[in-house]
Amino acid sequence: MRRSFRFNHSKRDVADEIGFHLDMRTREFIERGMSVEEARRAAAASFGDVAAIEAECRDQRAMRAREHARRDMLQGLSLDLRVALRSLWRRPAFTAAATLTLTLGIGAAAAVFAIVSGVLVRPLPYHNPDRLVMVWLTGSEVHGSSSQLPLSAPTYLDVRHDVPALTSSAAFRSWSYTISEGNEPEQVDGVRVTPALLATLGVRPAIGRDFTDPDGTPNAPHVVIISDALWRRRWGGDPSVLGKRISLSGERFTVIGIAPRGFAFPRGAELPSGLQFPMRTDVWTPLTFGEDDLKNRWTLNLAAVARLRDGVTLAAADAQLAALGQRLDAQFAGGKGQIAMHAVTVADQAAAPVRRTLLILLGAVALVLVIACVNVANLLIARTSARARELAVRTALGAGGARLARQLVVENTLLAALGAAGGIVVAAFATRVMLALVPGQLPRADDIAVDWRVLLAAAACAVIAGIIFGVAAAVHARGAPLAPVLSGGSARATSGLARTSGRRLLVGAQIAFSLVLLVGAGLLAASFVRLERVDPGFVPEHAVTARISLPIGATFDPKRDGPAWSAFFTRLVERAGVLPNVTAAGAVSILPLTGDPESSGFAIEGRPPAAPGQGPGAEYFVLAGDYFRAMGMRLLTGRGFAAADRAETPRVIIVSRELERRYFPGDHAIGHRIQCGCDFTPGSREIVGVVDDVRVTGLGEPPAPAVYLPETQMTYPQLSLVMRTTGDPVGTIPALRRELRALAPGVALEQVRTLRDVFSASLARQRFSLVLIGAFAIAALALAVVGLYGVIALSVGERRRELGVRLALGARPVTVLRLVLGEGARIAAAGIVVGLAGSALATRLLRGMLYDVGPADATVYGVAALIVGIVALASAWLPARAATRVDPALALRSD
Amino acid sequence: MLALGAKSGEWGSPLVDIGLNEVYTYLTNACERRMAGSNLYTGTLDLLILKAVSWGPRHGYAIGRWIRETTEDVLVVQEGVLYPALHRLERRGLLKEEWRRSETGRDAKYYTLTAAGRRELRAETSRWIEHTRAVNRALAVAT
């Protein structure tokens, strides 16, 4: 017989056992002739320290209890797991549907999270990256644009010496080099930097040495650090390149170091696009300041990065920079507050332009995930109803509620885990696909990867989903009354009113969410279509462009080298113009729709001079050849540049319509003379033509005043050639390459693309948002529709008897149809109303992203609601038709 | 086929039994074996206990008495040491415990050898014999 006292069981147990032993020993001694008292004492003495032994035994029991508990739990779990796997295997349709839905939902969410994590969360790959800042100048009215202007050499030196909040700083500017070792000349993206750049970032070359201060002095020997990617690509990773001299743009540089793998600072997408930094940097050479640089306070061409001193906050550094800005303002701009300085952390600099878009995308994909999880939850609940009998039997036989609940939780967590595992695979692909939509334009694209954060997020989604499913299913199962189910009663008995309304509510919510996404997609689509229709000011069809950069050595002097550049471009454009299939050829310093152009102030002759930074400003472009005709731009009055406009002939300039409208209101610009700040040499130019506006910064930005100068009179080493062709524009490129090689063998064509590509690329970011939100909207709608179908079908199944009775009593099939459709319509209508309200709120987030479309555009809302309504009714149609086919006799007979 | 059991019973088919139980026991024993080897005295006592129980269920007092009698009091054991050893062996899964009514009418805890215990007894016995043979050989060498 077993003692089953629970009270202090183990303690009693040990004491009992030892007590028995002592008892027996005492008896033994008594048998030998001792008295009871003596026997007891002898027994105790021969036993030892009873209390200590008891304590040790109790410890053993406790450890044993713990081990057994752990073992039981593991066994229980492994059992649950086995049962769960088996039950999923037996219902392939259900398992496939649920797993697929979860995989797509979690996969999409993980992919977007990967992008968000890479761009917004992951620390930049530099030492203590949150202490790094970029320093910018702010100019209002100056040069027509932004709040992030580059610095000049004297300003940078002021920052370096007069701002104690920054310990280390470096300035840099982009510089394209041509490597012409042996085979094909190759254009490499380079950057000229002050020697402290890598040190400021806390990065050391993987092989070789960093720049030192002597490398930055004006007549130091030329040295270069190359990137790991370039090293592997061009020298096969051979370390013997260290110490060799390579030829960059005609000058010899000694390779002193190779940057660590993956280092490519500055990465163009992380900096203002107007600075034209390349996507990744491949060579770094020292930047030196010559006498001219130091005198010229208003040639703004240097970006600056600095490290905050330990213990100093960004606000403090910002305050010091503001003070410096005020000093400069007072000294040079009459103290009117037009010049200021500020600092931005490097991470913010990279993330700020896209943060809002990415967070909106994350919100959208979260909605899709919720909708997907609701669908799977409904599937599970439907299946649990089907298993009601099995669960009822188990309960009747003694399985506790907790045990059943645990089983269900394990089943659902397994499902969620499968979904998450598939989702991670989907995410890896989906991330690549999404990034392909915005080539080169997404900041920190290189930092995006499916890393531990993404895995953790996917796992978290799965765990939460699994728990929700399990709890919902368990609650549902508990509520099922046992008796009618056991006696064979069908689903008729299992749906209480509360549960049916719950399902309807969930589906209604799904419809509402998908409507919100659809409205968002619709607004973005409308905006995109309107943007695409904007007249860019040129004709994108049948034209191709290629950029050509003449090699410029470190000591570049426009005055000395200019004529050679001019001669080269003039001849090249001439030769391009007579190639077969080419109708016109020209070149320009900055193509439209490719970023912020350079701008400068100008003065109109005959008008009172304005204070510096306050006068008229315009974007300036340097042209060669028959540019306007090649681009398809409209010349309004006057003439274009001709062969007659040369260095020695009178200096001329062409202006844009916007400039004429703004600065010569009611008058003709032709004939006036203006002095452009961008000119290398002083002296005014005569306006000889007015050309129509083109969109330069983006299709959505209104055109700014622009001036055009002939390359022969303002030399420029880098121009983009444009050729207008009959037929396929790209076909003319090989011929162009031949001409280029004949003229200048060491020069390569870069960025060869058609004007149509340029046009499309300028819309890449909008296209990205549109495609993604559109995809999410479609997915959400599909899931919601499936959910609605499920609910209506279930409802018809439950009401078979009732419908059978109605039909038997003479109701027309149309009435039954209307009954069922009505149910679907009610749910859909409720969802649509809530969805419209939600859209009105949610689309306010899209404010900055829409062009010419208000967030409350009635057409879009109407169309979206209509689409959702039609699709929802269509999904309710099928079960409704099935309902009309119910055979009354069968329905009445079945249980 | 569902095997019905109590609240914590088995529901699954034994065909697919992973045998977590045995794995766990094996792992625990492996640790203990390594530890037990270092203390010769503990090992000897365990061996004697296993032997004592090999003929059938015995309670702690009987085991102690048997050891005393068969070794002719050569091994004088503080009797109390027996009980932690018994509990340790039970924890390792070598013994099974059960409360029963003893010959005196009072309830006592009886220990029985498990299959694993039987295997352990065999292994430890042969190891002991080898060990002593080796030591005897070494000691028999004339100086």
Side-chain angles (χ1 to χ4, degrees):
Chain A
M1 194 174 75
R2 208 192 196 175
R3 288 208 193 179
S4 50
F5 293 112
R6 292 246 175 229
F7 166 65
N8 256 337
H9 185 88
S10 63
K11 198 168 178 191
R12 225 190 119 100
D13 200 24
V14 172
D16 266 357
E17 192 180 4
I18 291 179
F20 175 80
H21 180 108
L22 289 171
D23 206 39
M24 297 293 280
R25 199 73 165 106
T26 311
R27 271 194 218 200
E28 205 183 325
F29 282 131
I30 289 178
E31 272 164 29
R32 288 203 203 155
M34 291 189 198
S35 73
V36 175
E37 266 310 309
E38 280 176 346
R40 279 222 188 97
R41 257 181 284 130
S46 93
F47 189 85
D49 186 349
V50 176
I53 302 285
E54 264 186 29
E56 199 180 331
C57 286
R58 251 177 258 132
D59 282 341
Q60 292 280 340
R61 311 285 309 161
M63 278 193 276
R64 173 187 179 271
R66 272 201 301 275
E67 282 166 17
H68 278 212
R70 210 177 312 154
R71 197 189 318 175
D72 283 341
M73 193 191 69
L74 279 175
Q75 254 194 328
L77 273 180
S78 94
L79 185 64
D80 284 339
L81 210 63
R82 270 180 276 149
V83 172
L85 271 170
R86 254 208 317 262
S87 81
L88 281 181
W89 186 254
R90 275 201 294 240
R91 305 286 303 274
F94 160 80
T95 309
T99 313
L100 197 65
T101 311
L102 276 180
T103 298
L104 291 177
I106 296 184
V112 174
F113 183 82
I115 295 182
V116 168
S117 156
V119 176
L120 302 181
V121 174
R122 258 180 130 177
L124 282 158
Y126 316 124
H127 176 65
N128 268 354
D130 43 316
R131 306 294 294 166
L132 288 172
V133 297
M134 302 287 302
V135 178
W136 301 109
L137 208 53
T138 315
S140 58
E141 273 284 14
V142 170
H143 308 328
S145 59
S146 57
S147 63
Q148 291 191 332
L149 293 171
L151 312 178
S152 62
T155 315
Y156 162 69
L157 290 170
D158 282 343
V159 169
R160 190 175 171 76
H161 298 140
D162 295 344
V163 181
L166 306 170
T167 52
S168 159
S169 59
F172 52 96
R173 56 179 301 189
S174 80
W175 202 269
S176 194
Y177 286 108
T178 321
I179 295 188
S180 43
E181 301 280 306
N183 35 12
E184 277 290 313
E186 183 189 344
Q187 210 69 35
V188 286
D189 298 317
V191 155
R192 296 186 63 197
V193 306
T194 57
L197 179 75
L198 268 75
T200 304
L201 295 174
V203 169
R204 271 212 304 264
I207 308 178
R209 70 167 180 89
D210 194 0
F211 295 126
T212 52
D213 282 335
D215 292 321
T217 53
N219 289 316
H222 296 321
V223 290
V224 63
I225 294 179
I226 60 179
S227 75
D228 185 272
L230 179 66
W231 177 48
R232 282 178 207 281
R233 195 174 67 234
R234 213 170 158 99
W235 287 280
D238 181 8
S240 72
V241 74
L242 206 62
K244 278 223 203 89
R245 281 154 55 93
I246 62 176
S247 167
L248 293 175
S249 295
E251 294 189 349
R252 304 203 69 77
F253 284 74
T254 312
V255 177
I256 58 164
I258 296 168
R261 191 173 212 158
F263 180 76
F265 183 93
R267 297 189 287 203
E270 293 162 24
L271 294 171
S273 59
L275 298 178
Q276 308 254 327
F277 279 104
M279 204 156 77
R280 293 178 197 98
T281 306
D282 276 325
V283 300
W284 293 264
T285 53
L287 178 69
T288 55
F289 297 135
E291 267 189 41
D292 283 336
D293 297 314
L294 295 171
K295 277 192 290 201
N296 211 329
R297 173 103 23 200
W298 295 111
T299 305
L300 309 178
N301 54 13
L302 297 176
V305 64
R307 184 172 284 279
L308 291 173
R309 196 174 290 278
D310 282 334
V312 175
T313 59
L314 177 63
D318 216 30
Q320 290 182 7
L321 282 170
L324 175 61
Q326 273 168 358
R327 271 206 319 277
L328 292 176
D329 190 52
Q331 204 177 343
F332 297 101
K336 299 234 179 42
Q338 305 223 314
I339 297 173
M341 296 189 71
H342 69 286
V344 177
T345 60
V346 178
D348 259 348
Q349 180 77 45
V354 289
R355 182 175 286 134
R356 195 130 159 273
T357 311
L358 287 180
L359 290 178
I360 289 178
L361 281 175
L362 197 61
V365 86
L367 281 182
V368 174
L369 184 61
V370 166
I371 293 178
C373 284
V374 168
N375 259 12
V376 178
N378 272 337
L379 274 175
L380 284 166
I381 288 177
R383 189 158 148 263
T384 313
S385 297
R387 292 168 75 190
R389 209 157 176 218
E390 174 200 338
L391 293 169
V393 168
R394 278 202 198 175
T395 313
L397 288 170
R403 188 73 179 73
L404 279 179
R406 195 177 88 188
Q407 169 78 50
L408 288 170
V409 168
V410 167
E411 266 180 33
N412 297 318
T413 310
L414 178 66
L415 198 61
L418 286 174
I424 290 179
V425 174
V426 165
F429 284 117
T431 316
R432 293 278 151 268
V433 168
M434 286 183 199
L435 287 178
L437 282 171
V438 271
Q441 288 197 20
L442 192 66
R444 303 198 55 189
D446 289 344
D447 294 342
I448 293 173
V450 176
D451 67 347
W452 63 267
R453 287 183 195 83
V454 178
L455 292 178
L456 201 64
C461 288
V463 164
I464 294 176
I467 293 179
I468 292 176
F469 297 156
V471 166
V475 164
H476 187 93
R478 273 282 199 79
L482 280 180
V485 176
L486 281 176
S487 70
S490 70
R492 179 174 42 117
T494 58
S495 284
L497 188 61
R499 255 180 279 132
T500 331
S501 319
R503 273 204 295 266
R504 296 218 177 107
L505 195 72
L506 286 175
V507 170
Q510 283 180 309
I511 292 182
F513 286 165
S514 56
L515 182 61
V516 170
L517 285 175
L518 205 59
V519 166
L523 287 174
L524 287 172
S527 162
F528 187 82
V529 162
R530 267 163 241 216
L531 264 180
E532 257 204 325
R533 290 218 206 107
V534 167
D535 178 11
F538 60 90
V539 178
E541 271 68 39
H542 297 301
V544 65
T545 83
R547 200 171 69 166
I548 294 153
S549 312
L550 287 176
I552 31 181
T555 52
F556 95 100
D557 180 5
K559 295 193 201 80
R560 179 195 64 195
D561 301 323
W565 299 340
S566 278
F568 168 79
F569 279 116
T570 314
R571 214 171 312 149
L572 180 65
V573 171
E574 252 173 62
R575 302 275 275 272
V578 298
L579 286 174
N581 288 335
V582 174
T583 55
V588 68
S589 51
I590 296 187
L591 275 175
L593 297 182
T594 54
D596 295 332
E598 298 174 320
S599 50
S600 118
F602 64 89
I604 304 172
E605 223 179 54
R607 298 208 188 159
Q614 282 188 309
E619 299 165 348
Y620 68 87
F621 302 90
V622 173
L623 305 180
D626 202 356
Y627 175 70
F628 296 130
R629 223 158 50 95
M631 287 291 285
M633 286 168 68
R634 293 180 287 276
L635 189 62
L636 297 176
T637 53
R639 65 169 180 86
F641 297 130
D645 296 306
R646 289 192 298 273
E648 57 274 14
T649 57
R651 297 144 59 84
V652 290
I653 196 168
I654 293 177
V655 303
S656 72
R657 175 158 65 161
E658 176 63 18
L659 190 146
E660 183 180 49
R661 190 192 65 81
R662 208 187 276 195
Y663 298 116
F664 298 97
D667 189 10
H668 289 300
I670 296 190
H672 288 266
R673 301 189 68 88
I674 60 177
Q675 157 91 40
C676 185
C678 54
D679 243 325
F680 295 142
T681 49
S684 61
R685 294 173 176 268
E686 184 188 347
I687 300 178
V688 295
V690 178
V691 73
D692 204 356
D693 298 313
V694 292
R695 306 277 170 151
V696 181
T697 43
L699 284 169
E701 307 291 325
V707 298
Y708 301 89
L709 298 99
E711 206 266 342
T712 45
Q713 295 181 354
M714 164 125 159
T715 55
Y716 218 75
Q718 186 187 82
L719 294 180
S720 292
L721 189 68
V722 179
M723 297 191 296
R724 182 152 295 273
T725 65
T726 57
D728 178 26
V730 181
T732 54
I733 290 298
L736 180 65
R737 266 194 235 272
R738 276 197 298 274
E739 292 297 334
L740 184 62
R741 214 173 309 143
L743 268 181
V747 174
L749 284 181
E750 302 161 39
Q751 293 192 8
V752 176
R753 40 188 185 155
T754 63
L755 273 188
R756 173 49 63 182
D757 289 339
V758 171
F759 186 85
S760 295
S762 75
L763 292 174
R765 232 174 237 182
Q766 288 88 338
R767 192 177 297 123
F768 178 71
S769 307
L770 174 61
V771 167
L772 284 185
I773 295 203
F776 295 158
I778 292 175
L781 190 59
L783 287 170
V785 153
V786 166
L788 184 63
Y789 171 86
V791 164
I792 303 289
L794 206 62
S795 158
V796 164
E798 286 168 6
R799 293 168 76 184
R800 280 176 77 84
R801 208 143 190 253
E802 174 206 336
L803 296 172
V805 168
R806 282 182 193 250
L807 285 170
L809 289 177
R812 288 203 307 270
V814 167
T815 322
V816 169
L817 197 77
R818 235 183 309 156
L819 205 67
V820 177
L821 270 184
E823 195 185 336
R826 271 195 303 277
I827 301 177
I832 289 176
V833 166
V834 172
L836 285 174
S839 304
L841 289 171
T843 51
R844 282 213 219 124
L845 293 169
L846 290 177
R847 232 178 314 121
M849 298 164 61
L850 300 176
Y851 175 76
D852 205 20
V853 176
D857 188 296
T859 327
V860 171
Y861 279 57
V863 168
L866 199 64
I867 292 177
V868 172
I870 291 176
V871 171
L873 277 181
S875 85
W877 172 262
L878 286 164
R881 235 164 52 118
T884 62
R885 302 247 190 81
V886 167
D887 183 348
L890 278 173
L892 286 172
R893 226 186 307 146
S894 82
D895 272 326
Chain B
M1 208 77 72
L2 288 180
L4 303 185
K7 290 196 168 101
S8 58
E10 295 277 326
W11 288 93
S13 136
L15 270 165
V16 198
D17 189 23
I18 301 173
L20 263 181
N21 217 335
E22 304 220 329
V23 174
Y24 200 76
T25 311
Y26 175 76
L27 286 172
T28 324
N29 275 348
C31 289
E32 293 264 3
R33 211 174 299 135
R34 259 179 277 127
M35 293 192 305
S38 57
N39 185 343
L40 194 58
Y41 178 70
T42 320
T44 320
L45 181 59
D46 285 355
L47 183 55
L48 291 173
I49 291 176
L50 290 176
K51 187 68 181 180
V53 172
S54 62
W55 291 286
R58 304 236 168 156
H59 51 63
Y61 173 74
I63 294 172
R65 188 156 177 177
W66 180 84
I67 293 178
R68 260 184 295 131
E69 285 165 6
T70 20
T71 62
E72 288 162 22
D73 273 332
V74 168
L75 289 182
V76 173
V77 177
Q78 274 285 40
E79 291 158 29
V81 178
L82 202 57
Y83 284 91
L86 282 168
H87 283 113
R88 206 176 38 245
L89 287 170
E90 194 273 335
R91 216 178 102 219
R92 284 172 61 190
L94 303 175
L95 294 177
K96 216 165 29 190
E97 66 186 22
E98 199 186 10
W99 278 91
R100 284 205 218 163
R101 180 133 295 173
S102 72
E103 58 273 15
T104 63
R106 191 171 160 173
D107 282 351
K109 191 190 275 193
Y110 282 73
Y111 292 91
T112 326
L113 209 53
T114 61
R118 210 166 281 281
R119 281 197 297 273
E120 180 79 0
L121 173 60
R122 257 199 308 262
E124 282 300 316
T125 309
S126 58
R127 210 174 299 148
W128 171 268
I129 290 173
E130 293 235 354
H131 175 91
T132 43
R133 230 184 252 158
V135 173
N136 285 343
R137 262 204 305 275
L139 292 176
V141 174
T143 30

